[in-house]
Every structure is written in C-alpha cells, then in structure tokens.
Amino acid sequence: PTTAPTPAPHIWLHHLEDEADAAYLYLALAQAEQDARKSELYRKLAQVEDRHVEMWRKLLAEHGHDVPAPAPSRGARLRAWVARRVGAGILLPMLLEEEGREVHRILLEMTDRLRGYSDSIRQTLVTMAELELIFAKARFATEFDCVVPRFGGRLLLKEARHPLLHD
C-alpha cells in the first residue's frame, strides 16, 4: 500500500515562487536595459534563477509534489511594468534588497536547523583538525625523508643544545 504524499511544504512553495519572480524580473531588467553588457548580465542572472526554480521543483517532486513552474506574481508583473515605463534603474535596487533579505532569511533558517547539532559539528571539527595534523606530519616526514628514532636502553647527549634556544 502506498501512502499519499504529505502536503507540499509551504516554505518550499514560497521559495519556488520567489525564484520564479526573480527570474522574471531579471529578464525584464535585461529587456529594459540599454547597455548590452548589463543586459547580458541580467539575462545570465535570470538563467541562474531559472535553475533555482528547477531545483525547487525537483525537490518538491522528490517528495511527491509535481508542481509546474509558477507564473510571475502580480507584484513581479507590476514591478516589471514600472521598469519598462520608468527604466531599469528603479528595479535593480528592489531586486538587490530582496536578494539580501532572502540570503539573510536562509542563513537564519540554516542556523536554527543546525543549532541542535552544534556538539556533533564541534566534535567533527576537532576530529578533522586531528586528522589534518596527522596527515601534515606524514607529508612532512615523506618530503624530508624523516625516520622515527629508535633508542636503546640509555640515551647519552654529548655537547647537545636545544635547537631553538641557542646562546
């Protein structure tokens, strides 16, 4: 017996819609921009956002929710219309501000999710540091053709000096 998929996570759908709006707006910027270099850059940013849309659609599909790429929201269509009338310069600050808020929100969400794993993360970092030290010692020993000293019953140091503390 197969179980019915759970409802699509609201937050995932929100991310999908945001990415679709960003792709639409970057494309609107590209079309409104007079400078060919900037226009091409905006087209590339639209393609990046399109890939993000596909990533969210794939994630949703993997969890039993096949969803189409969303149409641009009314807000995105309004902003694109304003950019076509007034010029692309008005839209870019809005997009950059939205991108900044999105990055901040994602970082906060990731921090909240990882907070419960802080002890495990800390222990993993300690283990990785210990392994790095072991590998560094091995690499040093190999590069400088080092050997492990072997001592007999008694060690006699004649005219010995500390390698760092001389005269």
Side-chain angles (χ1 to χ4, degrees), residues 11-111:
I11 192 74
W12 291 2
L13 293 172
H14 173 75
H15 294 321
L16 173 66
E17 291 162 359
D18 280 351
E19 301 293 354
D21 278 353
Y24 176 78
L25 290 171
Y26 279 124
L27 193 56
L29 269 175
Q31 293 166 349
E33 180 58 55
Q34 301 298 316
D35 182 318
R37 283 185 16 210
K38 287 182 183 178
S39 178
E40 181 58 26
L41 175 63
Y42 295 143
R43 284 185 204 292
K44 287 179 181 178
L45 288 169
Q47 291 169 353
V48 168
E49 300 297 346
D50 281 335
R51 286 194 300 272
H52 294 168
V53 167
E54 291 311 310
M55 179 204 67
W56 283 109
R57 289 184 65 217
K58 180 181 176 194
L59 182 65
L60 284 157
E62 287 171 356
H63 288 83
H65 309 287
D66 287 321
V67 294
S73 68
R74 273 187 243 144
R77 290 193 313 267
L78 175 64
R79 286 180 288 192
W81 179 85
V82 169
R84 284 191 296 272
R85 299 302 178 275
V86 178
I90 196 164
L91 187 54
L92 187 58
M94 286 188 264
L95 270 171
L96 293 176
E97 187 176 326
E98 176 60 30
E99 291 281 346
R101 279 195 306 268
E102 187 71 9
V103 167
H104 186 257
R105 190 203 50 73
I106 288 170
L107 291 174
L108 286 175
E109 184 179 315
M110 288 173 59
T111 300

Side-chain angles (χ1 to χ4, degrees), residues 88-161:
I90 196 164
L91 187 54
L92 187 58
M94 286 188 264
L95 270 171
L96 293 176
E97 187 176 326
E98 176 60 30
E99 291 281 346
R101 279 195 306 268
E102 187 71 9
V103 167
H104 186 257
R105 190 203 50 73
I106 288 170
L107 291 174
L108 286 175
E109 184 179 315
M110 288 173 59
T111 300
D112 285 344
R113 286 181 174 207
L114 292 174
R115 189 169 282 119
Y117 301 98
S118 62
D119 290 339
S120 296
I121 292 169
R122 193 173 293 108
Q123 183 56 48
T124 300
L125 288 172
V126 167
T127 302
M128 289 171 61
E130 290 170 358
L131 284 171
E132 177 60 26
L133 177 61
I134 291 167
F135 284 120
K137 286 180 178 181
R139 190 169 42 250
F140 179 85
T142 301
E143 288 178 13
F144 289 93
D145 207 20
C146 297
V147 294
V148 176
R150 293 199 178 105
F151 300 103
R154 193 174 142 180
L155 177 65
L156 178 62
L157 302 173
K158 293 183 179 181
E159 297 182 34
R161 68 178 185 84

